[in-house]
Amino acid sequence: MSDHWGLTVQKQSRATLRLPNIDALSTLEMVRLINEQDARVPEAVAVELLRIADAVDRIAERMQSGGRLIYVGAGTSGRLGVLDASECPPTFGTPAAEWVVGVIAGGKTRAHSFHRRRGGDRTKRVHAT
């Protein structure tokens, strides 16, 4: 699936994301399963290195021309965007909240709370963001 910017978007199985029956595993089995899932990340990133480098170059060009990097998301992806944006000033020396911004659907209260998704209505989720 591609969006209008030509970026490829892949959906991962929700069953994989939830790690089914994880609560029924022993602690060792649980951490082993999480570790196995984590070990898949470098390979997935390696496959996309050219696209990632291109995205970084495009973002850098725009930031050098006065643009900003804005993360927008809901739920966990929103929290991770806010977290990544908050780490840019101490890690890369970017001006706080000027160059890199994190936006989460529902605002600041959602950054610290969990709210189950209400069905699959993507339009409502996009509108809330």
Side-chain angles (χ1 to χ4, degrees), residues 19-68:
L19 301 173
N21 303 318
I22 194 167
D23 56 332
L25 301 175
S26 71
T27 303
L28 178 59
E29 291 169 321
M30 186 184 309
V31 296
R32 187 173 284 144
L33 178 60
I34 292 170
N35 182 249
E36 287 170 3
Q37 293 296 312
D38 289 349
R40 298 170 60 192
V41 173
E43 182 180 327
V45 171
V47 169
E48 298 297 330
L49 284 176
L50 289 174
R51 287 188 177 130
I52 293 168
D54 183 54
V56 170
D57 288 342
R58 290 175 184 222
I59 293 165
E61 281 177 23
R62 284 162 180 79
M63 291 177 80
Q64 289 169 355
S65 300
R68 300 184 296 169

Side-chain angles (χ1 to χ4, degrees), residues 49-113:
L49 284 176
L50 289 174
R51 287 188 177 130
I52 293 168
D54 183 54
V56 170
D57 288 342
R58 290 175 184 222
I59 293 165
E61 281 177 23
R62 284 162 180 79
M63 291 177 80
Q64 289 169 355
S65 300
R68 300 184 296 169
L69 171 59
I70 302 174
Y71 291 98
V72 179
T76 300
S77 62
R79 286 183 198 87
L80 292 174
V82 169
L83 175 65
D84 197 56
S86 71
E87 284 296 322
C88 285
T91 304
F92 302 108
T94 62
E98 294 172 28
W99 287 8
V100 184
V101 178
V103 178
I104 185 170
K108 291 181 182 180
T109 58
R110 285 291 181 240
H112 302 287
S113 65

